[in-house]
């Protein structure tokens, strides 16, 4: 059972001057280079995002290497700085595979403690020349097995709804072995790995069915434990959701201040004020939950499982509420295909089930803090 009182210094939950500067730079960057029309345009491309922009984000701002140690080509900052970048990417609905590459795969490599694997891949992740993802991390469905083949290993089986599964250059796979689950790195090739795009609600976050057919793989670390990596992914996703919720609120406030009805801005009506006030309160709660989860990842706190599930539940529901108000308070225009609101609705709906539903996280929280009791035998 986890302690109910946090062990994080409250000062770590506040934004530093460096983080504020990073936020300003990123917001300006995304505003100029990755607006809604840019997102729509690149969704139709084979890779699904602007590869030149991806390279600039890595080279000019260094986003990909923020949470990667300097010895592996990164900047040596903490997860808190990466969370700022993820929040701003979520605010702009940035459609490149930032979450799977730096939020999941890079964290999995670092968490494995495998020096060789980190030296092999992290510098290329940091400089933007390698995209990566994870597969088989759902412990309830171990669909991939690893078999010895001569001096090495090969992977067989399938993993479904893999983030950026079609385009990723590297897949960190959790596979079953005779000795138990282990992590492997796999650079998929056409002859040993079939990757089929899935039709998904949110086209800005591509997913795929990945089938391994004797794909060569290299063991990473000694353990197949992935809970900490998934919790880091939940914290990263929560930051994204906060960013998207913030955009929805700001865009709606701006609209209701300009749209007039009965000779006055609709934002002056009490009913509209109450709805937006409720959303602001929800957003502040989501910011707090996200900040706590971020701090727990950065400090490798034992409270991370509690913080990650709390953030997942709170931020998912806030994002759903924010996008619903985004559409409804924009009136008829909010329901049109041309307006960006529906893109955020799709992102919100897909994100809330990405690493477990809100109900599943509440159940997990109850178990972690000892609120559930096992039925008598």
């Amino acid at each position: 059972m986890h302690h109910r009182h946090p062990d994080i210094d409250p000062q770590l939950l506040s934004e530093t001057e460096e983080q504020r500067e990073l936020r300003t730079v990123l917001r300006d960057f995304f505003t100029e280079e990755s607006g809604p029309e840019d997102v729509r345009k690149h969704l139709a491309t084979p890779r699904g995002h602007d590869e030149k922009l991806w390279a600039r984000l890595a080279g000019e701002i260094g986003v990909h290497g923020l949470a990667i140690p300097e010895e592996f080509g990164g900047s040596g900052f903490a997860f808190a700085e990466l969370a700022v970048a993820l929040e701003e990417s979520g605010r702009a609905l940035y459609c490149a595979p930032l979450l799977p590459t730096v939020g999941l795969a890079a964290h999995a490599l670092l968490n494995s403690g495998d020096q060789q694997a980190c030296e092999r891949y992290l510098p290329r992740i940091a400089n933007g020349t390698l995209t990566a993802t994870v597969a088989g991390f759902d412990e309830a469905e171990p669909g991939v097995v690893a078999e010895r083949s001569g001096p090495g290993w090969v992977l067989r089986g399938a993993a479904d709804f893999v983030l950026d599964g079609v385009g990723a250059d590297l897949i960190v796979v959790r596979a079953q072995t005779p000795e138990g689950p282990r992590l492997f790195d796999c650079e998929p090739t056409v002859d040993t790995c079939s990757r089929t795009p899935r039709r998904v609600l949110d086209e800005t976050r591509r997913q795929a069915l990945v089938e391994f057919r004797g794909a060569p793989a290299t063991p990473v670390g000694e353990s197949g434990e992935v809970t900490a990596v998934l919790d880091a992914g939940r914290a990263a996703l929560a930051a994204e959701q906060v960013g998207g919720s913030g955009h929805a609120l700001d865009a709606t406030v701006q609209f209701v201040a300009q749209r007039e009805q009965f000779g006055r801005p609709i934002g002056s009506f009490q009913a509209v004020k109450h709805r937006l006030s409720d959303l602001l309160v929800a957003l502040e709660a989501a910011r707090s939950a996200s900040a706590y989860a971020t701090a727990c990842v950065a400090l490798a706190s034992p409270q991370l499982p509690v913080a990650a599930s709390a953030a997942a539940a709170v931020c998912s529901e806030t994002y759903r509420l924010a996008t619903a108000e985004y559409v409804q308070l924009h009136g008829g225009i909010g329901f049109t295909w041309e307006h960006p609101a529906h893109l955020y609705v799709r992102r919100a709906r897909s994100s809330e089930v990405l690493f477990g539903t809100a109900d599943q996280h509440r159940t997990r929280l109850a178990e972690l803090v000892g609120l559930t009791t096992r039925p008598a035998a």
Side-chain angles (χ1 to χ4, degrees):
M1 186 176 77
H2 288 249
H3 296 294
R4 298 188 184 184
H5 300 290
D7 59 352
I8 301 296
D9 184 344
Q11 290 186 342
L12 296 176
L13 306 181
S14 300
E15 201 166 68
T16 66
E17 184 61 34
E18 280 186 332
Q19 290 165 4
R20 280 191 288 271
E21 291 176 0
L22 175 62
R23 183 181 301 282
T24 300
V25 169
L26 285 167
R27 187 164 301 185
D28 291 344
F29 181 83
F30 283 127
T31 299
E32 294 176 5
E33 305 292 345
S34 187
E37 292 309 312
D38 296 299
V39 171
R40 293 177 193 271
K41 179 176 68 175
H42 291 292
L43 288 180
T45 64
R47 194 63 184 87
H49 67 270
D50 186 344
E51 295 183 76
K52 292 182 179 178
L53 192 65
W54 173 263
R56 288 183 58 196
L57 198 63
E60 296 178 17
I61 306 178
V63 166
H64 305 61
L66 283 171
I68 294 177
E70 292 182 14
E71 64 176 307
F72 301 127
S75 304
F77 288 100
F79 191 83
E81 284 71 31
L82 177 59
V84 171
L86 288 163
E87 183 178 335
E88 290 304 312
S89 73
R91 184 182 181 89
L93 211 70
Y94 184 51
C95 53
L98 200 59
L99 176 65
T101 298
V102 302
L104 290 170
H107 195 80
L109 292 170
L110 284 169
N111 198 59
S112 72
D114 190 318
Q115 185 80 9
Q116 290 185 341
C118 289
E119 291 175 349
R120 186 162 57 246
Y121 295 116
L122 290 181
R124 287 190 284 159
I125 288 177
N127 66 24
T129 59
L130 181 82
T131 57
T133 190
V134 299
F137 277 35
D138 184 352
E139 298 181 12
E141 297 181 7
V144 184
V145 298
E147 303 172 351
R148 288 196 177 274
S149 177
W153 293 81
V154 295
L155 301 177
R156 301 189 187 280
D160 209 351
F161 295 102
V162 176
L163 296 176
D164 195 38
V166 170
D169 304 310
L170 168 71
I171 305 178
V172 180
V173 186
R174 182 179 184 270
Q176 295 294 326
T177 73
E179 294 77 32
R182 284 189 72 176
L183 293 183
F184 294 83
D185 60 51
C186 174
E187 298 183 44
T189 59
V190 175
D191 55 335
T192 60
C193 187
S194 171
R195 303 193 276 180
T196 307
R198 286 301 198 191
R199 185 177 181 183
V200 291
L201 178 66
D202 176 19
E203 295 179 347
T204 67
R205 178 167 279 148
R206 296 187 174 187
Q207 301 180 48
L209 169 65
V210 180
E211 298 173 279
F212 299 97
R213 300 169 178 170
T218 305
V220 177
E222 300 294 332
S223 170
E225 175 58 43
V226 296
T227 302
V229 176
L230 287 174
D231 282 335
R234 291 172 180 123
L237 180 62
E240 259 196 17
Q241 291 170 317
V242 168
S245 300
H247 163 82
L249 176 59
D250 290 348
T252 305
V253 168
Q254 182 180 17
F255 178 79
V256 300
Q258 298 172 347
R259 179 77 168 92
E260 291 191 357
Q261 192 73 24
F262 305 111
R264 55 190 285 198
I266 62 174
S268 65
F269 293 108
Q270 191 174 40
V272 174
K273 289 181 180 179
H274 284 177
R275 290 171 68 170
L276 292 176
S277 296
D278 288 343
L279 177 54
L280 177 61
V281 171
L283 178 56
E284 290 305 309
R287 288 190 193 282
S288 296
S290 174
Y292 182 48
T294 293
C296 286
V297 175
L299 297 178
S301 168
Q303 286 290 322
L304 176 57
V306 170
S309 280
V314 173
C315 295
S316 292
E317 294 193 340
T318 297
Y319 202 5
R320 173 189 275 263
L321 172 64
T323 53
E325 297 290 40
Y326 191 10
V327 171
Q328 292 174 19
L329 291 180
H330 271 76
I333 191 174
F335 287 85
T336 63
W337 182 258
E338 290 75 18
H339 197 275
H342 78 92
L343 295 174
Y344 285 85
V345 171
R346 291 165 181 264
R347 173 67 69 88
R349 294 298 177 88
S350 66
S351 295
E352 69 179 325
V353 298
L354 192 56
F355 299 123
T357 65
D359 286 343
Q360 288 172 328
H361 286 296
R362 288 194 184 92
T363 300
R364 185 189 187 209
L365 278 170
E367 294 170 350
L368 288 169
V369 301
L371 294 180
T372 58
T373 55
R374 296 178 181 273

